[in-house]
Amino acid sequence: MKKIYIGAAYYPELWDEREIEKDIVRCKETGVNCLRIGEFAWGAMEPEEGVYRLEWLVRVVEKLYENGIFTVLCTPTATPPRWLLNKYPETRMTMHDLIRADVSSRCHTCKTSPVMREKNRVIVSELAKTFAGHKGVIGWQIDNEIYPYSEGCYCEHCKSAFRSYLKKKFGTTERLNKAWGMARWSLEYNSFEEIEPPYPKQWRHPSLRKAWREFHYGQIKSYVEEQAEILHNYGCQNIGTNMMQHNSLSYYKLNEKLDVAQYNHYDTAERLPDTAFAYDFVRSIKNKPFWIMETQVGWNGSEYAENGYRPEGACYANTWLPIAKGAEMNLYWLFRAHPTGHEIGHGALYSSAGRSYCVTEEVVKASEELKKCEEFLINTCIRSKIALHYSSTAHNNLECAPLLKDINYRETLIKKYYAAFRHHNVDVIDTQHALENYEVIVSPFLATVDENGLKERMTEWIKNGGTWIVGPMSDIMDENVKKYTHAPYSFLEELAGVYTKYQKPVANDVFKAQWTNDGECAVSTCYDAYECNEGTTSLAHYVAGEFAPLSVITERKVGKGKLILVGSVLSHGDLLRLVNKTPICEASGNVILTERTATDGGMCGIIAVETENKGGYVILNGEYTDLITGKRYSDKIEIQPYGVLVLKR
């Protein structure tokens, strides 16, 4: 869209029109040029069945546009009005205790209910008819943080649809029983009608749990796409849905028919470095600029404030970091604090009395700097030669059958792998992502490789010159959470040219390893031990523990490329040794670097963000100008706590 947007969520239905006028003035003073509105306003849009009141919303959108403030409109389907939920009780979720959800909060609708679907279509159509083509509306958000809360809906509609889903997938119960291994404990189904959802507080079969998740994710996908189709049919553009901090509900699949990837996060100040993982992932979904729809501005909260103190400067850095990583929009939650209700304790840019906070000044500073750097930002992109696999299937398989006690797939990827790449451009990708632009792909804990043609595509990619660093615990189970019986992996042993002698999925402080003739190699968490076949080289081997002297890291040339099989979790330094790529430049570990490349292909600049509230440095290998200050640098630069440098070469 060739513009950088900074703003917040706003709820004009809560305020008198005179207060809205005052808030518009506050927007302009703060540098806010975009507001997200409408997501919870169905009651104001349709106060009684079939009676639509959108005039107030039109007035707000037009008044904002007149003042240079654009709108992202939201479909209000996360909060149908009380009259609808009471008149049509089947639209409410049934909880796992088989009690209908109260009309007391949000996101409590059944995604399968035909009545709910029809009511959604009607209200979305009314919005689309009213706002399609409006110059002030630059995009749309469908629903809100859509996800199968409370592990999904257990109503009869959902149970019936779940059984139909399984019947379509497996055809017969015999095939399902075999795929899930239901002969164990005599759990075989004789008909699909016997299948019940996996109720919480019971020891639930991993394959059943996984299937129940997949079913609900499919319902959500169609729920979103149904609304997107209506909006597209009316000519609406830049349609997305704001996603949360996991890849359980496949972001790639959910965004197939959407236009822009949208993301929410509420990470604490301590986790600011980790948010970059999500940005490198969300950017990769559509290979285009993404939108941050919600992030904290000062503190989180419900009836009380929580989630930690954020030091001075954290909000400023949190405004810049997603933009550095390829976002074109960063919206805070929220603009003006709610005076009542469930989230009365949540922070905002302005208090419920309309007074600014210290963090408001940080947003003002960031918005002014973004205007200075806007031309640079919109005319450059991020190109990565390194990719890190983050798989929805692996996420769900390891949730349902983690094998390692207390393993958290996403956190392990962030802390043990992604954190090593703070000074490299890296794309975080799911298994359906194209491979040809990468030179190195890292795939730890990629539990299921046999999907989306990945086995064949990775093999061909390696033959064409790629380096695949794979493992540990990759290629160990199929999509039904079933381990392989012919070998520990579906195909990795054969391609890597090894025989897996032993495996130990138990962390300990006994196992030690070293690089072949070259010092210690740190290993942890889980341990595979390999015998190398002819043509395969051992890069590192165990020197303590019962696996010594078997290999823990092996390398085999395949065509023009190579496969590096890793049997344990390595240190950041050992991982980077395998990756063998030059960083963007030298910098302290508390600084995240992003190289921005001009769209014509020339090297254009570097953005540095300090993320740990302490001083740091960047050592340049050429002459650069900081677009924020206008200063020129060619060597070592000191960076202040939560500081930002936008360096153009």
Side-chain angles (χ1 to χ4, degrees):
M1 295 192 299
K2 299 300 182 183
K3 190 173 180 64
I4 301 297
Y5 296 91
I6 295 296
Y10 187 61
Y11 300 87
E13 66 271 20
L14 304 181
W15 302 101
D16 181 273
E17 290 202 19
R18 289 172 295 181
E19 288 298 318
I20 296 173
E21 293 278 357
K22 295 177 184 177
D23 284 336
I24 289 174
V25 173
R26 294 181 179 108
C27 284
K28 296 168 77 172
E29 291 174 346
T30 310
V32 165
N33 59 6
C34 183
L35 293 177
R36 178 173 66 100
I37 62 177
E39 66 178 348
F40 301 140
W42 193 336
M45 297 175 185
E46 189 182 2
E48 57 183 290
E49 190 166 18
V51 177
Y52 302 101
R53 296 280 186 261
L54 298 178
E55 300 86 357
W56 66 273
L57 190 56
V58 171
R59 288 196 301 273
V60 170
V61 171
E62 291 184 346
K63 179 61 72 172
L64 291 173
Y65 183 58
E66 289 168 5
N67 284 274
I69 303 164
F70 294 93
T71 296
V72 175
L73 265 183
C74 307
T75 68
T77 51
T79 56
R82 188 178 294 274
W83 65 257
L84 190 157
L85 293 164
N86 284 339
K87 183 174 182 179
Y88 304 102
E90 72 153 63
T91 59
R92 287 187 264 150
M93 288 178 59
T94 297
M95 314 303 282
H96 61 80
D97 55 9
L98 304 184
I99 297 174
R100 289 278 184 192
D102 292 334
V103 185
S104 62
S105 182
R106 65 184 186 188
C107 303
H108 43 24
T109 60
C110 172
K111 305 300 185 288
T112 305
S113 162
V115 174
M116 191 70 258
R117 293 294 189 101
E118 176 57 24
K119 291 298 182 182
N120 286 348
R121 287 191 289 268
V122 173
I123 191 65
V124 172
S125 296
E126 291 295 324
L127 282 167
K129 283 189 291 186
T130 302
F131 289 100
H134 196 296
K135 293 181 179 179
V137 177
I138 57 171
W140 293 77
Q141 173 193 300
I142 292 173
D143 209 87
N144 175 70
E145 295 180 347
I146 196 161
Y147 187 75
Y149 296 94
S150 301
E151 300 198 36
C153 176
Y154 294 79
C155 75
E156 292 304 317
H157 280 301
C158 285
K159 289 182 183 179
S160 177
F162 177 50
R163 292 164 186 144
S164 296
Y165 161 78
L166 293 174
K167 187 172 184 178
K168 181 178 180 181
K169 180 176 181 177
F170 292 102
T172 66
T173 53
E174 289 78 13
R175 289 176 181 161
L176 182 150
N177 288 331
K178 183 176 181 181
W180 290 5
M182 300 304 279
R184 184 175 184 274
W185 291 0
S186 301
L187 294 175
E188 297 99 329
Y189 297 109
N190 294 309
S191 71
F192 286 100
E193 286 65 37
E194 289 183 335
I195 300 175
E196 287 290 319
Y199 296 102
K201 299 184 180 180
Q202 298 181 18
W203 194 358
R204 299 165 292 169
H205 195 290
S207 300
L208 176 63
R209 289 182 63 199
K210 170 79 181 305
W212 180 245
R213 285 178 171 224
E214 287 181 335
F215 159 71
H216 273 292
Y217 300 153
Q219 297 302 91
I220 287 172
K221 177 176 164 64
S222 66
Y223 188 88
V224 168
E225 288 180 349
E226 207 167 59
Q227 297 184 40
E229 183 178 12
I230 293 168
L231 294 170
H232 281 140
N233 286 343
Y234 278 95
C236 301
Q237 299 177 341
N238 295 319
I239 299 163
T241 185
N242 58 334
M243 305 172 295
M244 293 296 285
Q245 298 180 68
H246 45 70
N247 192 27
S248 181
L249 193 168
S250 170
Y251 287 173
Y252 273 67
K253 291 180 181 178
L254 187 62
N255 280 277
E256 281 176 347
K257 296 183 180 180
L258 305 182
D259 306 320
V260 58
Q262 302 175 354
Y263 180 71
N264 296 356
H265 85 83
Y266 288 91
D267 284 323
T268 62
E270 292 75 20
R271 289 190 59 90
L272 181 61
D274 302 337
T275 64
F277 172 86
Y279 303 149
D280 283 332
F281 175 56
V282 179
R283 183 188 66 247
S284 302
I285 293 171
K286 306 294 287 186
N287 285 322
K288 61 185 287 190
F290 58 95
W291 294 2
I292 299 299
M293 306 306 286
E294 297 182 27
T295 182
Q296 76 287 334
V297 65
W299 57 87
N300 298 3
S302 50
E303 294 87 359
Y304 51 85
E306 60 179 338
N307 250 5
Y309 170 73
R310 290 181 172 85
E312 182 181 356
C315 180
Y316 167 76
N318 190 35
T319 304
W320 257 108
L321 187 57
I323 305 299
K325 286 291 186 179
E328 63 185 0
M329 180 181 293
N330 193 21
L331 305 183
Y332 282 104
W333 204 89
L334 71 164
F335 182 79
R336 188 169 176 181
H338 292 328
T340 64
H342 298 69
E343 294 171 309
I344 191 171
H346 205 291
L349 278 169
Y350 288 88
S351 73
S352 53
R355 297 182 182 180
S356 64
Y357 295 106
C358 294
V359 291
T360 313
E361 299 171 7
E362 296 182 30
V363 174
V364 172
K365 177 185 176 184
S367 65
E368 290 173 350
E369 293 175 355
L370 287 165
K371 288 177 184 176
K372 289 183 182 179
C373 303
E374 188 171 56
E375 183 179 355
F376 169 81
L377 293 167
I378 64 179
N379 289 308
T380 59
C381 60
I382 298 167
R383 293 178 177 163
S384 305
K385 295 299 183 183
I386 305 169
L388 173 66
H389 267 130
Y390 175 38
S391 159
S392 174
T393 300
H395 179 107
N396 286 305
N397 279 0
L398 294 174
E399 281 277 317
C400 297
L403 302 182
L404 290 171
K405 187 177 181 181
D406 298 327
I407 188 74
N408 181 308
Y409 173 58
R410 184 177 188 272
E411 286 299 296
T412 300
L413 289 189
I414 292 173
K415 299 295 188 184
K416 301 296 186 181
Y417 295 89
Y418 178 79
F421 298 110
R422 288 186 178 183
H423 302 152
H424 296 75
N425 280 7
V426 59
D427 289 350
V428 180
I429 63 173
D430 207 333
T431 56
Q432 55 267 71
H433 196 94
L435 308 174
E436 57 267 16
N437 292 328
Y438 304 114
E439 296 176 0
V440 178
I441 297 177
V442 183
S443 306
F445 295 91
L446 187 63
T448 302
V449 175
D450 191 9
E451 65 168 0
N452 298 314
L454 186 63
K455 287 195 333 186
E456 296 77 15
R457 293 190 295 118
M458 287 301 303
T459 302
E460 191 63 25
W461 174 80
I462 296 170
K463 289 179 179 178
N464 289 328
T467 296
W468 189 21
I469 302 169
V470 57
M473 286 186 66
S474 296
D475 192 33
I476 58 173
M477 60 178 72
D478 68 14
E479 63 172 314
N480 295 306
V481 202
K482 183 179 181 181
K483 291 196 289 187
Y484 300 105
T485 56
H486 69 283
Y489 316 108
S490 74
F491 80 112
L492 272 182
E493 271 193 329
E494 181 180 358
L495 190 61
V498 301
Y499 177 79
T500 307
K501 183 79 171 179
Y502 302 114
Q503 293 181 305
K504 188 180 286 288
V506 181
N508 63 74
D509 57 3
V510 174
F511 281 55
K512 308 293 181 185
Q514 71 176 33
W515 294 95
T516 302
N517 300 321
D518 193 18
E520 180 184 357
C521 176
V523 292
S524 68
T525 310
C526 57
Y527 312 89
D528 286 359
Y530 308 115
E531 293 178 345
C532 295
N533 298 336
E534 186 178 350
T536 299
T537 302
S538 176
L539 298 183
H541 59 275
Y542 294 101
V543 293
E546 60 263 38
F547 291 177
L550 295 170
S551 296
V552 65
I553 306 174
T554 68
E555 177 181 296
R556 184 187 182 208
K557 293 183 178 179
V558 181
K560 298 178 182 178
K562 58 187 177 183
L563 186 152
I564 298 174
L565 183 61
V566 182
S568 188
V569 175
L570 308 180
S571 69
H572 291 173
D574 289 330
L575 174 62
L576 290 174
R577 175 175 176 163
L578 293 178
V579 171
N580 193 29
K581 288 293 179 185
T582 302
I584 295 167
C585 60
E586 184 181 343
S588 53
N590 56 316
V591 174
I592 291 179
L593 301 178
T594 306
E595 185 176 86
R596 304 284 297 228
T597 304
T599 51
D600 62 8
M603 211 295 274
C604 200
I606 299 167
I607 303 178
V609 182
E610 198 290 308
T611 58
E612 297 181 14
N613 197 24
K614 58 186 181 182
Y617 66 86
V618 179
I619 299 177
L620 300 174
N621 54 5
E623 293 188 0
Y624 293 80
T625 300
D626 182 6
L627 296 180
I628 294 176
T629 65
K631 294 181 179 178
R632 293 185 178 183
Y633 299 97
S634 60
D635 196 0
K636 186 175 182 178
I637 313 174
E638 301 293 333
I639 186 168
Q640 298 299 309
Y642 290 135
V644 176
L645 301 168
V646 182
L647 303 166
K648 184 177 180 181
R649 190 159 193 170

